[in-house]
Amino acid sequence: MTTLGARRTGANSDEKLVKSRQRVADHGEVFTPRWIVEDMLDLVKSETERIDSRFLEPACGSGNFLLPVLERKLAAVRARHGRSDFEKHHYALFALMCVYGIDLLPDNVAECRENLAAAFIRFLGPSSGSEWYRAAAAVLSVNVVQGDALKMTNAAGEEIEFPEWGYLGRGRYQRRDFRFDDLTQRASASVGLFEAFEEHEIFTPIRTYAGMTVLEIAE
């Protein structure tokens, strides 16, 4: 059994855990070391290796938790769909669609998006068309937001909204938007943020989009 508070032999002592003392004082910002992140994710290992499981980090920083989650999901994509370039690409984008983040600080949000996009691009390889990178940027622009997770408001003071993405197969995706505060009420009444309770008004999406291709998402 691994104890999360124990220091693992070989841990990266050069890993940067704070950006500045002022940010620690103002925002309590301290990043979690990668080895602790991996140990914590191992506690829900089966979920991290499910392509369609959804993860929300309410203080995402530059992606210390979300990046390893995405990397595990992409490894699952390679193992299950690596023989088909078409399926590999589409399920990789779906894996990216299933990670969500909120952070108070705009530079953290930008870095988190960049780090997740970079992992996605590395996975697809340099020969993939630009529409995949643009689609990833479009997804991350709505999945990773600047805001206050406790107040459930974005940087403009408006209610945070998140999209629920689904892969319909044959290269098409479904998007439905929900209010974050509605999702938290749903999560308390079920087993996940996006479990289906459409019969109750509070769980009705505020917007539903027609099925979209990668090109349409990238526009």
Side-chain angles (χ1 to χ4, degrees):
M1 178 180 294
T2 301
T3 302
L4 295 183
R7 183 170 183 80
R8 172 182 293 169
T9 302
N12 183 5
S13 59
D14 296 327
E15 190 174 3
K16 188 175 182 180
L17 302 181
V18 298
K19 288 187 175 181
S20 73
R21 292 182 179 179
Q22 191 62 50
R23 289 168 71 105
V24 174
D26 291 345
H27 305 289
E29 181 186 70
V30 178
F31 298 113
T32 308
R34 177 69 180 239
W35 70 270
I36 291 182
V37 171
E38 296 290 355
D39 279 349
M40 293 175 70
L41 293 180
D42 281 343
L43 297 174
V44 287
K45 190 173 186 293
S46 61
E47 288 298 306
T48 65
E49 295 173 350
R50 274 182 49 206
I51 299 169
D52 63 345
S53 63
R54 296 180 173 90
F55 282 78
L56 168 66
E57 173 50 57
C60 64
S62 56
N64 291 44
F65 276 90
L66 295 182
L67 183 57
V69 167
L70 178 60
E71 290 170 348
R72 291 178 181 218
K73 288 175 171 289
L74 293 176
V77 171
R78 187 184 304 279
R80 297 167 194 173
H81 304 287
R83 293 184 179 181
S84 166
D85 199 52
F86 180 88
E87 294 297 311
K88 173 186 169 183
H89 278 62
H90 283 86
Y91 275 101
L93 184 60
F94 184 43
L96 184 69
M97 290 170 166
C98 291
V99 293
Y100 299 83
I102 305 170
D103 201 272
L104 282 170
L105 303 177
D107 60 328
N108 282 346
V109 171
E111 287 180 25
C112 185
R113 290 173 178 170
E114 290 170 5
N115 290 336
L116 293 172
F120 175 76
I121 291 168
R122 285 194 303 271
F123 179 78
L124 293 189
S127 61
S128 299
S130 64
E131 68 272 16
W132 292 97
Y133 311 146
R134 290 184 280 116
V139 168
L140 290 170
S141 71
V142 291
N143 275 32
V144 181
V145 301
Q146 183 188 357
D148 187 326
L150 293 177
K151 295 179 180 178
M152 302 186 187
T153 55
N154 61 24
E158 302 166 339
E159 295 166 336
I160 292 175
E161 299 174 4
F162 278 125
E164 174 199 39
W165 300 94
Y167 183 45
L168 304 176
R170 299 184 179 181
R172 298 190 69 80
Y173 299 90
Q174 176 73 60
R175 172 180 170 179
R176 302 188 304 167
D177 292 350
F178 293 86
R179 281 174 37 187
F180 179 42
D181 58 346
D182 286 352
L183 294 177
T184 58
Q185 292 182 60
R186 174 186 296 186
S188 67
S190 64
V191 295
L193 282 181
F194 292 100
E195 291 299 312
F197 281 85
E198 286 83 5
E199 69 272 18
H200 194 296
E201 182 180 3
I202 197 171
F203 301 135
T204 301
I206 55 177
R207 280 180 295 277
T208 299
Y209 299 77
M212 295 178 283
T213 65
V214 170
L215 281 172
E216 290 169 331
I217 294 172
E219 289 178 352

